[in-house]
Amino acid sequence: MDVPESGAAGTAAPNLAEGFPAATRERWRELVAGVLRKSGVAEERLADTPESVLATHGYDGFDIQPLYTSDPPAADPGYPGLAPFTRGYRPGGGVAGGWDIRARHTDADPAELRRRMHNDLMNGVSSLWVAVGADTGPEAAEPGGVPLSRLGEALADVYLDLAPVVLSAPGPHALDAATALLRAHADAEVPDGRVISHLGLDPLSTAALTGERPDVADAARFAAEHAAHRPGLGLFVADGTLVHDAGGSDAQEIGSAVAAGTAYLRALTDAGLDLADAARRIEFRLAANADQFSVIAKLRAVRAMWNQVLEASGVPADQRGMSLHATTSNAMLTRRDPHVNMLRTTVACFAAGVGGADAVTVAPFDSAVGLPDDFARRIARNTQSLLIEESHLARVVDPAGGSFYVEALTRDLYGAGWAFFQELERAGGIGAAIAHGELRTAVDQVWERRRHDLARRTAPLTGVSEFPDPHEKPLVRAPDPARPAPDHRGFSVRRYAQDYESLRDRSDAHTAATGHRPGAFLVTLGPVAAHTARASFTTNLLAAGGIEAEDPGPIDDAASAARAFADSGSRVAVICSSDRLYGEHAEDVARALKGVGARRVLLAGTPRDSYREAGVDAFAHKGCDAVALLTDLVDVILTDPPTAANDSTQGART
């Protein structure tokens, strides 16, 4: 059979939709409502619009809808290279060569740092992000990296006029570190006109971490003085990752980054720099996590925000470009099951590239454990090379542009981010908001909401809160000298997995000391078909806290459950079965378990008062506070003395 070619002369293109009913939003809603009814959603929740049931509630005051269309139409994002720069400030994007692959280095040993930087540059890295620490004195105890007096030695193999170096020196020695970097360029005989490195000055982040009042003016005067004859020298970093790593929202991150950029812009112009010249010497740094669409929209929105600031400042449109560095999120990395971090950072790097980042840093998968090893560094840089060279991610400028969802999310994040930026400006600027605690308070409020979702596993962490490996052997790495302590006098540095990992650490310590992993006994009532679903759910939940589940197989009644539990020597029992068998046996089983000394009796399923009255202490179900539940169980298993009923078996099992 010959099929006419679509659009060929003398033939009409076939109408493939002919004979089918028209697809409408109303018809889609009917179908969605039908599915939700079958899922048990109450009719009153469907009264408004069924998609509201499927909406995702974010941390920035707007919801993520399950469906986006052209109605209402999104604002025109414009073209790459033209205001408002939502699609990037370069007309050709990264089509010619991709983005700048930037590797972070935190080694304190100059020789090791020199070797690793050379290895990176020989294998695809195009710029270096180097942590520098103080030599001696009280500042040496602060987070740092290579001693500033040894920086030149470490950079000996770097062609500084080809591979720019971005400093990270968050402390009172930042200006000394900047001087050392410039001295290294002079020693390498790099002419001032060819200096393309970045001083990385960021006194606002330093003040936020230390809890002190920021002093931007001194750094601005220093920067302006050394910028005079070095047109390619970068000066300040407007870093939003501090807010991200403290648990803040996307809008708070981009709002604080733009507020920091504005503060540095004011300080540099006060120090004598031309407005447009000052603007181009500020680099913005944002975090990229595994929520790829939010990352794409965030990078697009922040460019439009900075364009708005520069437009209001009188900078011509052709000089409102933003230098944007995306680094994979530290907050999302896990110490447990760390190889999963390779997947997280791949998604994050993909999002950063699609979102139009000018430079991208992928953290090695073991960064949350300590100082990364060579294998982890290789995977990190090859992730970027693969996305650029094999996946051709940079071949299209703004590949997400025109997506109804991405354009709407960009618009919403712009609005929320701009509102937060204005809030900081009303507080007297970000410096005042840091000094008086407003910024930290706002971020902490979001962190508590995020922590709530993490604890209830509505924000799951693969390999940690979901599908953990209870027999995992933790990685061991040398301490990272550039890692700040979790709790400073100012901002806290947080990771999403920290509460679960704390429980796993306690379990591992107990296992190392006793030879036995903390355990809980599953009271699996009825045949396998009746209890297996909830037993599997419970096993996964317990493993997130480092607790091993003991499954004895089918149990018939309360007396059998009591005997099996007493023989196990456990202190915790979890009843697992179907709702029908719960109705027949749960109350009797709970009383029997309490009677033989169970310190905690849990039931996997929906809470009911009658079960509580019979002795059930807690309920394991979807949406329960897993962290609180597991913390209580670990406390009971590790610290509560055994009952008399179980004395004879405690020696064999703890």
Side-chain angles (χ1 to χ4, degrees):
M1 175 180 177
D2 291 332
V3 179
E5 184 177 346
S6 177
T11 63
N15 182 4
L16 300 180
E18 187 175 0
F20 292 92
T24 65
R25 193 178 188 93
E26 288 67 29
R27 177 57 180 151
W28 174 78
R29 283 174 172 163
E30 292 175 9
L31 295 173
V32 170
V35 173
L36 293 174
R37 287 189 187 96
K38 292 178 182 178
S39 302
V41 176
E43 193 66 34
E44 56 268 20
R45 295 189 63 194
L46 303 176
D48 184 13
T49 56
E51 59 260 43
S52 65
V53 179
L54 300 177
T56 302
H57 306 293
Y59 300 111
D60 286 313
F62 60 87
D63 292 342
I64 306 299
Q65 300 300 326
L67 179 70
Y68 287 87
T69 67
S70 59
D71 183 23
D76 183 1
Y79 287 91
L82 298 175
F85 305 103
T86 304
R87 311 190 71 180
Y89 73 89
R90 291 179 295 171
V95 171
W99 56 81
D100 171 11
I101 299 176
R102 182 173 297 174
R104 177 161 168 75
H105 289 271
T106 59
D107 292 84
D109 180 359
E112 185 68 4
L113 176 60
R114 179 177 178 176
R115 181 188 69 81
R116 286 186 165 175
M117 288 193 297
H118 180 266
N119 194 34
D120 272 344
L121 291 171
M122 294 297 292
N123 289 281
V125 165
S126 49
S127 66
L128 303 167
W129 181 15
V130 181
V132 180
D135 288 317
T136 58
E139 295 84 2
E142 295 290 330
V146 63
L148 61 89
S149 64
R150 310 285 298 278
L151 179 61
E153 174 187 341
L155 295 175
D157 295 332
V158 179
Y159 290 93
L160 294 171
D161 54 343
L162 299 176
V165 173
V166 180
L167 286 187
S168 176
H173 57 276
L175 301 186
D176 293 333
T179 301
L181 177 62
L182 295 175
R183 186 183 305 116
H185 282 74
D187 292 344
E189 299 182 350
V190 178
D192 286 349
R194 297 186 63 180
V195 173
I196 54 175
S197 290
H198 202 292
L199 302 183
L201 300 174
D202 187 13
L204 290 170
S205 290
T206 297
L209 283 171
T210 59
E212 299 171 352
R213 189 174 186 87
D215 181 6
V216 177
D218 284 348
R221 285 190 290 269
F222 175 93
E225 176 186 347
H226 289 86
H229 304 292
R230 299 179 179 94
L233 179 66
L235 303 177
F236 280 94
V237 172
D239 195 346
T241 64
L242 179 75
V243 168
H244 174 88
D245 289 343
S249 69
D250 290 332
Q252 288 178 331
E253 182 185 2
I254 59 178
S256 61
V258 170
T262 303
Y264 293 146
L265 188 64
R266 290 177 178 136
L268 286 171
T269 54
D270 288 345
L273 257 64
D274 172 76
L275 184 63
D277 185 34
R280 72 178 181 83
R281 294 178 187 259
I282 301 171
E283 181 174 80
F284 287 76
R285 184 176 296 143
L286 298 177
N289 61 15
D291 186 354
Q292 64 176 8
F293 289 108
S294 292
V295 173
I296 294 168
K298 178 171 69 175
L299 301 189
R300 299 172 89 245
V302 77
R303 286 193 293 266
M305 290 173 62
W306 187 235
N307 171 72
Q308 181 74 8
V309 170
L310 296 185
E311 182 180 15
S313 302
V315 177
D318 62 350
Q319 298 182 57
R320 296 184 206 147
M322 167 187 277
S323 177
L324 184 53
H325 173 208
T327 177
T328 55
S329 164
N330 292 321
M332 76 172 176
L333 298 181
T334 64
R335 289 191 291 109
R336 297 293 175 159
D337 212 352
H339 294 87
V340 177
N341 291 330
M342 295 185 198
L343 309 180
R344 294 187 177 98
T345 55
T346 298
V347 174
C349 183
F350 172 91
V354 172
D358 302 296
V360 179
T361 297
V362 171
F365 71 86
D366 54 356
S367 295
V369 181
L371 197 62
D373 67 5
D374 287 345
F375 171 73
R377 300 192 66 86
R378 176 179 175 81
I379 294 297
R381 64 175 178 261
N382 282 353
T383 296
Q384 300 208 52
S385 295
L386 187 149
L387 289 174
I388 295 172
E389 303 294 342
E390 297 187 39
S391 296
H392 309 299
L393 199 60
R395 275 194 180 175
V396 177
V397 185
D398 188 29
S403 159
F404 300 140
Y405 174 31
V406 172
E407 296 296 356
L409 187 55
T410 301
R411 175 201 63 211
D412 292 341
L413 275 176
Y414 176 93
W418 189 259
F420 191 70
F421 164 66
Q422 290 180 311
E423 184 180 329
L424 295 175
E425 288 293 286
R426 284 193 296 270
I430 190 171
I434 290 172
H436 299 146
E438 288 99 337
L439 180 58
R440 181 180 180 182
T441 298
V443 171
D444 284 349
Q445 289 172 352
V446 172
W447 165 246
E448 290 306 318
R449 293 168 53 199
R450 190 186 298 277
R451 196 176 190 183
H452 175 278
D453 293 341
L454 291 164
R456 284 157 180 76
R457 302 197 296 176
T458 55
L461 298 169
T462 304
V464 179
S465 67
E466 297 284 356
F467 315 115
D469 178 4
H471 304 293
E472 170 195 2
K473 184 177 180 180
L475 287 183
V476 177
R477 294 287 185 269
D480 187 339
R483 177 177 298 163
D487 291 298
H488 280 64
R489 290 165 287 173
F491 266 60
S492 296
V493 179
R494 293 154 173 154
R495 287 185 304 104
Y496 301 152
Q498 64 186 39
D499 290 335
Y500 291 99
E501 290 177 344
S502 176
L503 291 168
R504 296 282 295 276
D505 290 344
R506 293 180 63 189
S507 172
D508 284 355
H510 175 82
T511 304
T514 66
H516 302 285
R517 185 163 295 282
F521 185 79
L522 303 187
V523 181
T524 45
L525 290 174
V528 171
H531 68 245
T532 189
R534 280 173 168 153
S536 297
F537 171 86
T538 301
T539 299
N540 182 59
L541 173 63
L542 293 173
I547 302 172
E548 189 171 13
E550 179 180 347
D551 187 343
I555 293 177
D556 296 328
D557 51 32
S560 300
R563 286 194 298 271
F565 176 76
D567 291 343
S568 75
S570 183
R571 303 175 187 182
V572 173
V574 188
I575 305 171
C576 303
S577 193
S578 65
D579 289 339
R580 181 182 66 81
L581 290 179
Y582 283 162
E584 297 174 6
H585 299 288
E587 295 176 21
D588 291 339
V589 169
R591 294 188 186 98
L593 292 170
K594 285 288 188 177
V596 294
R599 292 302 179 96
R600 289 291 185 275
V601 174
L602 278 66
L603 184 140
T606 306
R608 283 180 55 177
D609 290 340
S610 61
Y611 298 158
R612 287 193 178 93
E613 293 168 0
V616 174
D617 298 296
F619 296 84
H621 58 88
K622 185 177 180 180
C624 70
D625 188 337
V627 169
L629 178 67
L630 294 170
T631 299
D632 177 65
L633 296 184
V634 170
D635 288 343
V636 168
I637 296 170
L638 301 192
T639 64
D640 206 20
T643 64
N646 287 336
D647 277 347
S648 61
T649 57
Q650 286 298 324
R653 178 184 172 87
T654 55

